[in-house]
Amino acid sequence: MSAAGQAKEDFTFTPENLSRAKTIIAKYPEGRQQSAVLPLLDLAQRQNANWLPRAAMDYVAALLDMPPMRVYEVATFYTMFNLAPVGANLVQVCRTTPCWLRGSDDITRTCCQKLGVGLGETTADGKFTVKEVECLGACANAPMVQINDDFYEDLTPESMAKLIDDLAEGRKPSVGSQTGRRGSCAQDGATTLRGKTS
Amino acid sequence: MPKLIINGHEIEVAAGASVLQACEQMGIEVPHFCYHDKLSVPASCRMCLVEVEKTPKPVASCGLPAADGMVVHTDSPMVLKARRGVMELLLINHPLDCPICDQGGECDLQDQAVAYGSDHSRYAEAKRAVADKELGPIVKTVMTRCIHCTRCVRFADEIAGTPELGGVFRGEHLEIGNFGGGPLTSELSGNLVDVCPVGALTSKPYAFRARPWELQKTESVDVMDAVGCNIRIDTRGNEVMRILPRLNDDINEAWINDKTRHACDGLKLQRLDQPYMRVDGKLRPASWPEAFAAIAARLKTASAERVAALAGDLVDCESMFALKQLMLALEVPHLDCRQDGATYDMTARAGYIFNSGIAGIEQADAILLIGTNPRHEGTLVNARIRKRWLRGGLRVASIGAAADLTYPHRRIGGSPSAIRDLINGRDAFAKTLLAAKNPMVIVGAGALARPDGAALQALARELAEKFNMVRPDWNGFNVLQRAASRVGGLDIGFVPQAYGLGTRGILEAASSGKMEVVYLLGADEIDMDRLGNAFVIYQGHHGDKGAHRADVILPGAAYTEKDGIYVNTEGRPQLAKQATFPPGEAREDWKIIRALSETVGKTLPYDTLTQLRARLIEACPVIGAMGRLTKAEWKPFGHAGQVAVQPFEPVIANFYMTDPISRVSPTMAKCVTEIQRRDVPEAAE
């Protein structure tokens, strides 16, 4: 991650995103527009292939009338903002204790070996970036990964490999548990409230 | 007013004071890093922990308001243990490089580690390393030493008003810096070096040049503008190594601008270290008697009507007074200390000083700027306006060239007609001024130095009276002078005597051959081509424009090399002290004039500076009130007349180079190339 942010000439919101941005800004009281910095950076990142160039941060700063430095501080603080280009599928492998105990190391190894990249790297075809992150809050269904906006849970090296294959070939794999578990109920099926199911 | 007990002694402190301030009031030292008197309080470094009875844990005293009945201990075993813990944490990632660190010897962390540090480290892991940042020609960084106190970030945000610094990334990866944003654009950036409690931000021009314990410290006054910032001149041998601010809450608080701080390297270059005389069109070294004899010969043949004297911007009161007395003895009427050509009325002192005082800005609630960019003409005045603005409830409007002043202000217009509109109530700001409790107007050289300056001065007075700015308890009519010598020169009366000519008239006469001798006392900011064939005597310290044109050069002393009185824009006389000796054969300026007076047969009646000062104060009692403000009587001033329609022009084109010292300073040259050149394409966008 370059400290200076990656260079990109300029950035402006598309007309749709600009009107969305205005709606977001209007949610905050007069004089408190700077509170919109997080949703606006997110909007900018989504518009710009899932990463934030410095130009986008500067643009958001100008839009909210705040010093660019204050925007850089926010954008660099949150790991969800990517400050350099990432692949079309950003694979974030959770490695915090529950996932780790349930084999997240194997998941990471599978991703890296299958895609031929190291952590934080992007495949040559620009389709995948792999990185490890801390707890994503789906501990009951560990191990899990987040790919762009979706969680894929209850992974094994095999299901992870299949997931990558599906995504590589443009298929849309089913989101959530890969073993067919509903929500976060116990692995062998529900143990409570069984009589009340409608 | 809360009363509390600290270490067994009761103390009463002002409401709102913190426990740390209460301790300092008692003379108890509380170690701290992030806390700074003049900045907001983040309470993040945790070094100032104290024990407060009935609280379960140590508390950060900087962020804890003193309350009635509080019982505080600053030296209990619990406090000592807590501070040791904090120090150990701070030192985990701090490199052990004090021997090669410029902060060594004046480092808060070093000093406090002696008191609270351990004799060995329990930390065996690798220390983190942080890439250095490029912050321009003034501030050098070694970011690995940073302890994240955020003083620099708060300074840039709050005082300088250029929020270019921040903390990026987080946790172990947190870095203070500018995120690759190029050099700092503030004129106050040198203060970052002062506020940094460790060696992360150090002075780039001063890097590795001296250790603090080698330096002689002289408390003096700055002359780069008319604010009169209090400074400390650090010298080693006969060399000025650096200049630092000295606390004066009435003037500069704890800050100075970058020109004040770093132009001092120009004191070593292009100095006039011996007298020169022009022989066959070329300047040749001469002895003092030769130079004096040449001057005396010319003065003897020239009639007094055809002699003139101009005083420059960096001249002390004593030498202006001595020169005035010499000129009066020779019956010369053409004197002026306003080399910018200003012709405003100086019969009333209230008409040319900053009547409210700089600290008075903090009482103002509406400020109108006329023909001035205080950021360049008096950086610390501007910082004070910003400080007032940060507190809330201040409205600022400006009539003059557009400029970024670091606080929001409404530009009413660019030309003098906007003043008339305001007086006639044709602008909304008139209502603001009428409703304000303490309205203020600041008139700058952009207005007063114009040919119609006297009329503008009268117009500004009319405005001040119309908006009730002048009352027994408040005088909001302020002139921001831009030269350190100006108010002193006007107080002394170094102005055209009866029927005498001012700067414009003198130059006019000289260019048409009606002026035979022109005496330039450090005057470099005039158009030398207009001096015609006049015999020019230049007395000064740098080989600048004046010296190049001169027929005789008398080498004088720069402000660090002589004792002198300077009166700042508020009308506050202050003593500048001698820190080094003038180079070579150069002498203190008053001595040169005294010696010359003997040669021309009009010996001035004093042999010591003390005698001279006694005469000066006798003739001009306000200058005797050293360090104090003398309230100026309000009476009519200015000359009603036609005001030209041209817009106000900025008077300072290049903030970093305004006088003979800063023009030769290598550091100022770097500031111009690295900071100002960078601004140009941005402005063009």
Side-chain angles (χ1 to χ4, degrees), chain B residues 65-99:
Chain B
D68 236 0
M70 228 174 219
V71 182
V72 179
H73 300 280
T74 69
D75 50 7
S76 64
M78 182 221 230
V79 171
L80 197 64
K81 186 169 178 236
R83 288 180 186 167
R84 284 214 161 122
V86 171
M87 178 56 77
E88 188 172 11
L89 279 169
L90 285 171
L91 291 178
I92 277 182
N93 277 316
H94 192 81
L96 197 63
D97 64 349
C98 302

mmCIF file of all heavy atoms in Angstrom, chain B residues 65-99:
data_model
loop_
_atom_site.group_PDB
_atom_site.id
_atom_site.type_symbol
_atom_site.label_atom_id
_atom_site.label_comp_id
_atom_site.label_asym_id
_atom_site.label_seq_id
_atom_site.Cartn_x
_atom_site.Cartn_y
_atom_site.Cartn_z
ATOM 1 N N PRO B 65 -10.722 18.809 34.242
ATOM 2 C CA PRO B 65 -10.941 20.147 34.791
ATOM 3 C C PRO B 65 -10.807 20.125 36.316
ATOM 4 O O PRO B 65 -11.306 19.215 36.962
ATOM 5 C CB PRO B 65 -12.377 20.484 34.378
ATOM 6 C CG PRO B 65 -12.774 19.453 33.387
ATOM 7 C CD PRO B 65 -11.943 18.253 33.645
ATOM 8 N N ALA B 66 -10.120 21.109 36.851
ATOM 9 C CA ALA B 66 -9.980 21.191 38.306
ATOM 10 C C ALA B 66 -11.355 21.451 38.907
ATOM 11 O O ALA B 66 -12.103 22.293 38.427
ATOM 12 C CB ALA B 66 -9.024 22.318 38.652
ATOM 13 N N ALA B 67 -11.697 20.708 39.933
ATOM 14 C CA ALA B 67 -13.015 20.858 40.552
ATOM 15 C C ALA B 67 -12.854 21.072 42.046
ATOM 16 O O ALA B 67 -11.834 20.687 42.636
ATOM 17 C CB ALA B 67 -13.874 19.629 40.272
ATOM 18 N N ASP B 68 -13.862 21.681 42.621
ATOM 19 C CA ASP B 68 -13.828 21.972 44.049
ATOM 20 C C ASP B 68 -13.655 20.698 44.864
ATOM 21 O O ASP B 68 -14.292 19.685 44.590
ATOM 22 C CB ASP B 68 -15.157 22.640 44.446
ATOM 23 C CG ASP B 68 -14.902 23.972 45.117
ATOM 24 O OD1 ASP B 68 -13.721 24.336 45.261
ATOM 25 O OD2 ASP B 68 -15.882 24.632 45.493
ATOM 26 N N GLY B 69 -12.764 20.755 45.821
ATOM 27 C CA GLY B 69 -12.624 19.647 46.754
ATOM 28 C C GLY B 69 -11.805 18.474 46.249
ATOM 29 O O GLY B 69 -11.670 17.453 46.918
ATOM 30 N N MET B 70 -11.264 18.596 45.059
ATOM 31 C CA MET B 70 -10.442 17.516 44.507
ATOM 32 C C MET B 70 -9.165 17.351 45.344
ATOM 33 O O MET B 70 -8.576 18.343 45.784
ATOM 34 C CB MET B 70 -10.030 17.917 43.104
ATOM 35 C CG MET B 70 -10.226 16.873 42.070
ATOM 36 S SD MET B 70 -9.844 17.651 40.487
ATOM 37 C CE MET B 70 -11.100 16.912 39.506
ATOM 38 N N VAL B 71 -8.751 16.121 45.567
ATOM 39 C CA VAL B 71 -7.493 15.893 46.275
ATOM 40 C C VAL B 71 -6.567 15.148 45.314
ATOM 41 O O VAL B 71 -6.848 14.018 44.921
ATOM 42 C CB VAL B 71 -7.712 15.087 47.569
ATOM 43 C CG1 VAL B 71 -6.400 14.916 48.301
ATOM 44 C CG2 VAL B 71 -8.733 15.771 48.454
ATOM 45 N N VAL B 72 -5.507 15.817 44.921
ATOM 46 C CA VAL B 72 -4.646 15.301 43.849
ATOM 47 C C VAL B 72 -3.264 14.978 44.399
ATOM 48 O O VAL B 72 -2.736 15.704 45.254
ATOM 49 C CB VAL B 72 -4.513 16.355 42.718
ATOM 50 C CG1 VAL B 72 -3.622 15.865 41.611
ATOM 51 C CG2 VAL B 72 -5.882 16.729 42.182
ATOM 52 N N HIS B 73 -2.702 13.862 43.950
ATOM 53 C CA HIS B 73 -1.313 13.542 44.293
ATOM 54 C C HIS B 73 -0.520 13.412 43.003
ATOM 55 O O HIS B 73 -0.949 12.717 42.088
ATOM 56 C CB HIS B 73 -1.239 12.232 45.071
ATOM 57 C CG HIS B 73 -1.999 12.282 46.352
ATOM 58 N ND1 HIS B 73 -1.516 12.863 47.492
ATOM 59 C CD2 HIS B 73 -3.241 11.848 46.659
ATOM 60 C CE1 HIS B 73 -2.408 12.784 48.455
ATOM 61 N NE2 HIS B 73 -3.480 12.168 47.984
ATOM 62 N N THR B 74 0.610 14.065 42.950
ATOM 63 C CA THR B 74 1.420 13.939 41.735
ATOM 64 C C THR B 74 2.699 13.150 41.985
ATOM 65 O O THR B 74 3.474 12.943 41.060
ATOM 66 C CB THR B 74 1.824 15.326 41.181
ATOM 67 O OG1 THR B 74 2.746 15.919 42.097
ATOM 68 C CG2 THR B 74 0.632 16.231 41.008
ATOM 69 N N ASP B 75 2.912 12.753 43.236
ATOM 70 C CA ASP B 75 4.175 12.065 43.517
ATOM 71 C C ASP B 75 3.979 10.768 44.289
ATOM 72 O O ASP B 75 4.885 10.287 44.955
ATOM 73 C CB ASP B 75 5.120 13.009 44.281
ATOM 74 C CG ASP B 75 4.423 13.646 45.469
ATOM 75 O OD1 ASP B 75 3.267 13.253 45.754
ATOM 76 O OD2 ASP B 75 5.022 14.518 46.115
ATOM 77 N N SER B 76 2.767 10.214 44.202
ATOM 78 C CA SER B 76 2.525 8.964 44.924
ATOM 79 C C SER B 76 3.137 7.791 44.164
ATOM 80 O O SER B 76 3.427 7.901 42.972
ATOM 81 C CB SER B 76 1.021 8.757 45.090
ATOM 82 O OG SER B 76 0.433 8.603 43.827
ATOM 83 N N PRO B 77 3.334 6.658 44.840
ATOM 84 C CA PRO B 77 3.886 5.478 44.153
ATOM 85 C C PRO B 77 3.031 5.079 42.950
ATOM 86 O O PRO B 77 3.547 4.669 41.917
ATOM 87 C CB PRO B 77 3.858 4.385 45.220
ATOM 88 C CG PRO B 77 3.829 5.119 46.519
ATOM 89 C CD PRO B 77 3.121 6.403 46.274
ATOM 90 N N MET B 78 1.704 5.254 43.071
ATOM 91 C CA MET B 78 0.818 4.887 41.970
ATOM 92 C C MET B 78 1.105 5.753 40.737
ATOM 93 O O MET B 78 1.182 5.243 39.607
ATOM 94 C CB MET B 78 -0.638 5.088 42.405
ATOM 95 C CG MET B 78 -1.655 4.698 41.353
ATOM 96 S SD MET B 78 -2.995 5.886 41.304
ATOM 97 C CE MET B 78 -4.418 4.841 41.389
ATOM 98 N N VAL B 79 1.314 7.036 40.962
ATOM 99 C CA VAL B 79 1.592 7.948 39.840
ATOM 100 C C VAL B 79 2.923 7.586 39.185
ATOM 101 O O VAL B 79 3.035 7.478 37.968
ATOM 102 C CB VAL B 79 1.614 9.403 40.342
ATOM 103 C CG1 VAL B 79 2.105 10.341 39.249
ATOM 104 C CG2 VAL B 79 0.240 9.823 40.826
ATOM 105 N N LEU B 80 3.912 7.365 40.026
ATOM 106 C CA LEU B 80 5.237 7.053 39.505
ATOM 107 C C LEU B 80 5.191 5.787 38.655
ATOM 108 O O LEU B 80 5.756 5.719 37.558
ATOM 109 C CB LEU B 80 6.208 6.890 40.673
ATOM 110 C CG LEU B 80 7.675 6.961 40.299
ATOM 111 C CD1 LEU B 80 8.017 8.344 39.755
ATOM 112 C CD2 LEU B 80 8.546 6.630 41.501
ATOM 113 N N LYS B 81 4.471 4.783 39.162
ATOM 114 C CA LYS B 81 4.393 3.512 38.448
ATOM 115 C C LYS B 81 3.660 3.699 37.118
ATOM 116 O O LYS B 81 4.082 3.180 36.084
ATOM 117 C CB LYS B 81 3.656 2.494 39.324
ATOM 118 C CG LYS B 81 3.647 1.119 38.732
ATOM 119 C CD LYS B 81 3.152 0.071 39.723
ATOM 120 C CE LYS B 81 3.126 -1.291 39.046
ATOM 121 N NZ LYS B 81 1.809 -1.927 39.092
ATOM 122 N N ALA B 82 2.572 4.476 37.164
ATOM 123 C CA ALA B 82 1.790 4.696 35.941
ATOM 124 C C ALA B 82 2.632 5.416 34.898
ATOM 125 O O ALA B 82 2.642 5.046 33.721
ATOM 126 C CB ALA B 82 0.542 5.502 36.266
ATOM 127 N N ARG B 83 3.354 6.459 35.333
ATOM 128 C CA ARG B 83 4.153 7.221 34.371
ATOM 129 C C ARG B 83 5.282 6.372 33.809
ATOM 130 O O ARG B 83 5.630 6.468 32.627
ATOM 131 C CB ARG B 83 4.720 8.471 35.041
ATOM 132 C CG ARG B 83 3.643 9.505 35.304
ATOM 133 C CD ARG B 83 4.235 10.722 35.956
ATOM 134 N NE ARG B 83 3.202 11.666 36.335
ATOM 135 C CZ ARG B 83 3.417 12.706 37.140
ATOM 136 N NH1 ARG B 83 4.622 12.911 37.657
ATOM 137 N NH2 ARG B 83 2.438 13.516 37.437
ATOM 138 N N ARG B 84 5.851 5.529 34.664
ATOM 139 C CA ARG B 84 6.907 4.625 34.160
ATOM 140 C C ARG B 84 6.361 3.720 33.078
ATOM 141 O O ARG B 84 7.017 3.452 32.075
ATOM 142 C CB ARG B 84 7.435 3.780 35.323
ATOM 143 C CG ARG B 84 8.341 4.571 36.221
ATOM 144 C CD ARG B 84 9.447 3.663 36.765
ATOM 145 N NE ARG B 84 10.533 4.483 37.240
ATOM 146 C CZ ARG B 84 10.996 4.453 38.485
ATOM 147 N NH1 ARG B 84 10.487 3.609 39.360
ATOM 148 N NH2 ARG B 84 11.976 5.235 38.832
ATOM 149 N N GLY B 85 5.130 3.244 33.312
ATOM 150 C CA GLY B 85 4.499 2.365 32.326
ATOM 151 C C GLY B 85 4.288 3.072 31.008
ATOM 152 O O GLY B 85 4.572 2.532 29.940
ATOM 153 N N VAL B 86 3.797 4.300 31.092
ATOM 154 C CA VAL B 86 3.550 5.065 29.871
ATOM 155 C C VAL B 86 4.858 5.298 29.130
ATOM 156 O O VAL B 86 4.955 5.134 27.913
ATOM 157 C CB VAL B 86 2.863 6.412 30.202
ATOM 158 C CG1 VAL B 86 2.812 7.295 28.974
ATOM 159 C CG2 VAL B 86 1.471 6.178 30.748
ATOM 160 N N MET B 87 5.889 5.666 29.893
ATOM 161 C CA MET B 87 7.187 5.934 29.265
ATOM 162 C C MET B 87 7.715 4.684 28.572
ATOM 163 O O MET B 87 8.239 4.747 27.452
ATOM 164 C CB MET B 87 8.172 6.434 30.330
ATOM 165 C CG MET B 87 9.561 6.703 29.824
ATOM 166 S SD MET B 87 9.656 7.864 28.461
ATOM 167 C CE MET B 87 9.436 9.416 29.276
ATOM 168 N N GLU B 88 7.541 3.540 29.204
ATOM 169 C CA GLU B 88 8.033 2.299 28.594
ATOM 170 C C GLU B 88 7.311 2.034 27.275
ATOM 171 O O GLU B 88 7.924 1.655 26.279
ATOM 172 C CB GLU B 88 7.838 1.126 29.566
ATOM 173 C CG GLU B 88 8.514 -0.144 29.073
ATOM 174 C CD GLU B 88 8.503 -1.258 30.100
ATOM 175 O OE1 GLU B 88 7.784 -1.119 31.111
ATOM 176 O OE2 GLU B 88 9.206 -2.261 29.887
ATOM 177 N N LEU B 89 5.996 2.295 27.273
ATOM 178 C CA LEU B 89 5.232 2.105 26.040
ATOM 179 C C LEU B 89 5.685 3.069 24.948
ATOM 180 O O LEU B 89 5.834 2.687 23.781
ATOM 181 C CB LEU B 89 3.743 2.315 26.311
ATOM 182 C CG LEU B 89 3.010 1.124 26.932
ATOM 183 C CD1 LEU B 89 1.633 1.537 27.387
ATOM 184 C CD2 LEU B 89 2.919 -0.003 25.921
ATOM 185 N N LEU B 90 5.915 4.317 25.336
ATOM 186 C CA LEU B 90 6.339 5.308 24.344
ATOM 187 C C LEU B 90 7.683 4.924 23.736
ATOM 188 O O LEU B 90 7.954 5.175 22.560
ATOM 189 C CB LEU B 90 6.454 6.697 24.976
ATOM 190 C CG LEU B 90 5.143 7.413 25.272
ATOM 191 C CD1 LEU B 90 5.410 8.671 26.085
ATOM 192 C CD2 LEU B 90 4.428 7.768 23.983
ATOM 193 N N LEU B 91 8.536 4.326 24.570
ATOM 194 C CA LEU B 91 9.888 4.020 24.096
ATOM 195 C C LEU B 91 9.971 2.722 23.306
ATOM 196 O O LEU B 91 10.994 2.433 22.705
ATOM 197 C CB LEU B 91 10.859 3.972 25.272
ATOM 198 C CG LEU B 91 11.137 5.326 25.948
ATOM 199 C CD1 LEU B 91 12.058 5.149 27.125
ATOM 200 C CD2 LEU B 91 11.693 6.333 24.966
ATOM 201 N N ILE B 92 8.862 1.950 23.301
ATOM 202 C CA ILE B 92 8.902 0.678 22.576
ATOM 203 C C ILE B 92 9.342 0.893 21.135
ATOM 204 O O ILE B 92 10.218 0.198 20.632
ATOM 205 C CB ILE B 92 7.508 -0.001 22.618
ATOM 206 C CG1 ILE B 92 7.357 -0.761 23.935
ATOM 207 C CG2 ILE B 92 7.324 -0.951 21.445
ATOM 208 C CD1 ILE B 92 6.054 -1.502 24.062
ATOM 209 N N ASN B 93 8.737 1.871 20.473
ATOM 210 C CA ASN B 93 9.055 2.073 19.063
ATOM 211 C C ASN B 93 9.953 3.268 18.817
ATOM 212 O O ASN B 93 10.186 3.639 17.675
ATOM 213 C CB ASN B 93 7.764 2.220 18.255
ATOM 214 C CG ASN B 93 7.190 0.869 17.902
ATOM 215 O OD1 ASN B 93 7.923 -0.031 17.498
ATOM 216 N ND2 ASN B 93 5.909 0.705 18.091
ATOM 217 N N HIS B 94 10.440 3.880 19.880
ATOM 218 C CA HIS B 94 11.295 5.046 19.669
ATOM 219 C C HIS B 94 12.741 4.595 19.502
ATOM 220 O O HIS B 94 13.244 3.839 20.319
ATOM 221 C CB HIS B 94 11.169 6.007 20.848
ATOM 222 C CG HIS B 94 11.777 7.349 20.569
ATOM 223 N ND1 HIS B 94 11.129 8.328 19.868
ATOM 224 C CD2 HIS B 94 12.995 7.854 20.869
ATOM 225 C CE1 HIS B 94 11.908 9.379 19.764
ATOM 226 N NE2 HIS B 94 13.053 9.129 20.358
ATOM 227 N N PRO B 95 13.402 5.052 18.433
ATOM 228 C CA PRO B 95 14.777 4.590 18.228
ATOM 229 C C PRO B 95 15.729 5.147 19.293
ATOM 230 O O PRO B 95 15.462 6.209 19.853
ATOM 231 C CB PRO B 95 15.130 5.142 16.855
ATOM 232 C CG PRO B 95 14.252 6.318 16.680
ATOM 233 C CD PRO B 95 12.984 6.021 17.417
ATOM 234 N N LEU B 96 16.784 4.447 19.525
ATOM 235 C CA LEU B 96 17.766 4.897 20.516
ATOM 236 C C LEU B 96 18.875 5.657 19.779
ATOM 237 O O LEU B 96 20.027 5.284 19.806
ATOM 238 C CB LEU B 96 18.323 3.677 21.238
ATOM 239 C CG LEU B 96 19.036 3.908 22.559
ATOM 240 C CD1 LEU B 96 18.083 4.479 23.583
ATOM 241 C CD2 LEU B 96 19.639 2.614 23.055
ATOM 242 N N ASP B 97 18.466 6.756 19.099
ATOM 243 C CA ASP B 97 19.447 7.427 18.248
ATOM 244 C C ASP B 97 19.740 8.852 18.712
ATOM 245 O O ASP B 97 20.111 9.712 17.908
ATOM 246 C CB ASP B 97 19.001 7.413 16.782
ATOM 247 C CG ASP B 97 17.716 8.200 16.555
ATOM 248 O OD1 ASP B 97 17.081 8.575 17.567
ATOM 249 O OD2 ASP B 97 17.352 8.435 15.401
ATOM 250 N N CYS B 98 19.588 9.081 20.004
ATOM 251 C CA CYS B 98 19.821 10.435 20.526
ATOM 252 C C CYS B 98 21.160 11.039 20.086
ATOM 253 O O CYS B 98 21.226 12.230 19.799
ATOM 254 C CB CYS B 98 19.711 10.451 22.037
ATOM 255 S SG CYS B 98 18.110 9.874 22.608
ATOM 256 N N PRO B 99 22.229 10.264 20.012
ATOM 257 C CA PRO B 99 23.510 10.883 19.617
ATOM 258 C C PRO B 99 23.496 11.488 18.219
ATOM 259 O O PRO B 99 24.250 12.402 17.926
ATOM 260 C CB PRO B 99 24.507 9.725 19.697
ATOM 261 C CG PRO B 99 23.900 8.777 20.641
ATOM 262 C CD PRO B 99 22.420 8.884 20.433
#
